[in-house]
Amino acid sequence: MRRTVFNEDHEAFRETLRAFIEAEVVPVYDEWFAAGQAPRDFYYKLGELGIFGINVPEEYGGAGLDSHKFEAVLYEETARAGVQFGGSGVHVLLALPYIKMLATDEQKKRYLPKFVTGEEMWAIAMTEPGTGSDLAGMKSTAKLSEDGTHYVLNGAKTFITGGVHADRVIVCARTSAPTAEDRRHGISLFAVDTKSEGYSVGRKLDKLGLKTSDTAELAFVDVKVPVEDLLGEENKGFYYLGHNLASERWGIAFGAYAQAKAAVRFAKQYVQERTVFGKPVAHFQNTKFELAACQAEVDAAEAVADRATEALDAGELTPAEAASAKLFCTEVAHRVIDRCLQLHGGYGYMNEYPIARLYADNRVNRIYGGTSEIMKSIIAKDMGL
């Protein structure tokens, strides 16, 4: 079946991106993997390539487009090569929508030009130790100073992707206590400068997968945040967070589909080259049947991912549809990648093979952005159950 989601511009971008990955990422990726993060200067290269500015208005140095399809191409090409772009994904997929939606003109003039070049890398800090998916239970606070010039931020965050290299972090904190009627009330968002006194990066967390993506614990001790860095209105942060969850979950869904597609490619190549009992592994009926079944699942996930992409670009992707896409694509990827690793035999367990890294990278897709169980709850509620 012919895909219709991409046009000539997307395919030209794909060619450029594929060449960039082969030249700038693949030769050094093992070093990044061992170090547990991509080097900071790599993000400047992404800025030069235009990756960060695709959806940024032209007046701030971007391309002025309003589409997630170029991000979709990026997901496919990084998965195809078996690499990750460090923690930069959160910079574009998570942080940028909040800047575009909430920042004033003055804030955009300060934030976006450096965002586009990679001079300022952004992250977002929601999760706290002990809260997990329960964002309404966050304890971090931001108290307005007596003279009204700044907020005093205190608290801690964990599992913050891009947190080591981040220059600014969108921090969620309580500016008011929750009410009896609405425990989600009282959360606000702040664009915090990581050079601020009292701001500190704790452990760089040692994860099962996504090894090149720096993930950290953050701590705030009497951090002064200028009122000019409040994003949106006070106490409406939870609403803002919910507004952007659909695009976040789309990204996880599409990325998972792309990983499943790459896993089939890796497995097909391996079984054609690997010889057992004097024959290529691809010769055996079990191999053919396993890969055929995997391909069928990938085809279905591709259709779901493409449909969600079109809906997102049209501004029509509902929370329930995003949850459904995330649930389906991440569960498909889980099954497909596991079966493709099995076809590698013992070599599939070795990190020198991309399938092993893919297996570890994929596991978090059913956890972050809302667990599979949370996705089922959202879908069930939409069904009237």
Side-chain angles (χ1 to χ4, degrees):
M1 294 178 285
R2 185 175 67 89
R3 295 178 80 185
T4 59
V5 69
F6 299 124
N7 61 28
E8 293 180 358
D9 291 338
H10 302 122
E11 296 307 328
F13 175 68
R14 186 188 302 278
E15 291 181 13
T16 299
L17 185 59
R18 188 173 296 183
F20 173 82
I21 290 171
E22 289 298 322
E24 300 288 345
V25 182
V26 172
V28 294
Y29 196 70
D30 286 346
E31 297 174 18
W32 297 5
F33 189 85
Q37 62 186 34
R40 178 63 179 83
D41 62 3
F42 173 67
Y43 298 138
Y44 291 111
K45 294 181 180 180
L46 292 180
E48 291 173 3
L49 190 64
I51 296 293
F52 297 149
I54 293 172
N55 291 327
V56 173
E58 293 182 51
E59 61 190 292
Y60 304 114
L65 302 180
D66 188 20
S67 171
H68 287 79
K69 293 182 180 180
F70 292 94
E71 292 173 51
V73 171
L74 190 149
Y75 284 128
E76 290 187 335
E77 289 305 307
T78 51
R80 179 184 182 277
V83 301
Q84 298 278 339
F85 278 179
S88 65
V90 71
H91 182 69
V92 174
L93 182 64
L94 299 189
L96 182 57
Y98 289 101
I99 301 173
K100 291 175 67 175
M101 178 176 71
L102 302 176
T104 64
D105 289 341
E106 183 276 330
Q107 287 175 322
K108 289 177 181 178
K109 290 177 183 177
R110 284 195 290 127
Y111 300 152
L112 288 175
K114 293 180 180 180
F115 180 100
V116 169
T117 62
E119 184 178 348
E120 278 193 355
M121 294 300 296
W122 287 62
I124 184 166
M126 292 185 277
T127 305
E128 296 185 357
T131 60
S133 298
D134 182 20
L135 294 180
M138 69 176 61
K139 304 297 184 184
S140 295
T141 61
K143 303 295 185 182
L144 186 63
S145 62
E146 292 185 3
D147 61 6
T149 61
H150 63 272
Y151 292 85
V152 180
L153 174 65
N154 284 281
K157 301 289 182 178
T158 192
F159 305 147
I160 309 307
T161 302
V164 174
H165 284 319
D167 301 289
R168 276 195 185 268
V169 176
I170 299 174
V171 177
C172 312
R174 284 206 165 277
T175 43
S176 296
T179 65
E181 297 77 21
D182 186 4
R183 60 191 296 266
R184 299 171 297 181
H185 171 79
I187 295 172
S188 300
L189 308 184
F190 300 90
V192 180
D193 186 338
T194 64
K195 296 185 294 296
S196 302
E197 184 177 353
Y199 180 105
S200 63
V201 178
R203 291 187 301 148
K204 180 166 72 69
L205 300 175
D206 184 15
K207 307 184 298 296
L208 170 67
L210 300 177
K211 289 291 189 178
T212 66
S213 173
D214 55 300
T215 303
E217 296 174 330
L218 306 179
F220 322 113
V221 179
D222 293 334
V223 177
K224 292 182 178 180
V225 183
V227 293
E228 292 81 8
D229 286 327
L230 171 69
L231 285 175
E233 296 182 40
E234 260 195 16
N235 303 323
K236 292 189 176 181
F238 198 95
Y239 164 77
Y240 299 143
L241 295 174
H243 183 82
N244 285 325
L245 278 175
S247 63
E248 177 183 351
R249 288 167 179 163
W250 164 82
I252 298 170
F254 203 98
Y257 141 70
Q259 289 176 325
K261 182 178 181 179
V264 173
R265 175 175 177 268
F266 295 142
K268 179 183 176 182
Q269 181 179 3
Y270 178 82
V271 299
Q272 288 176 327
E273 297 173 352
R274 173 71 169 163
T275 300
V276 177
F277 304 123
K279 298 178 181 179
V281 175
H283 176 80
F284 298 98
Q285 186 181 65
N286 179 68
T287 304
K288 296 176 182 179
F289 281 8
E290 281 292 283
L291 281 178
C294 287
Q295 183 62 53
E297 289 217 73
V298 169
D299 287 344
E302 180 179 88
V304 170
D306 285 356
R307 186 181 69 174
T309 302
E310 295 284 18
L312 182 63
D313 270 14
E316 299 172 352
L317 185 65
T318 68
E321 289 169 345
S324 179
K326 180 182 184 295
L327 177 65
F328 183 78
C329 290
T330 58
E331 294 291 341
V332 164
H334 161 64
R335 294 191 296 270
V336 167
I337 295 170
D338 182 76
R339 294 164 82 175
C340 288
L341 186 149
Q342 187 73 15
L343 289 173
H344 282 71
Y347 288 103
Y349 206 63
M350 301 295 111
N351 274 329
E352 64 187 275
Y353 282 79
I355 193 68
R357 298 180 181 182
L358 197 57
Y359 183 87
D361 289 349
N362 174 261
R363 184 58 185 88
V364 76
N365 289 333
R366 291 181 288 148
I367 298 174
Y368 67 1
T371 64
S372 290
E373 292 72 26
I374 294 292
M375 298 304 100
K376 291 175 184 177
S377 295
I378 294 170
I379 297 165
K381 183 177 180 180
D382 186 68
M383 295 170 64
L385 298 174

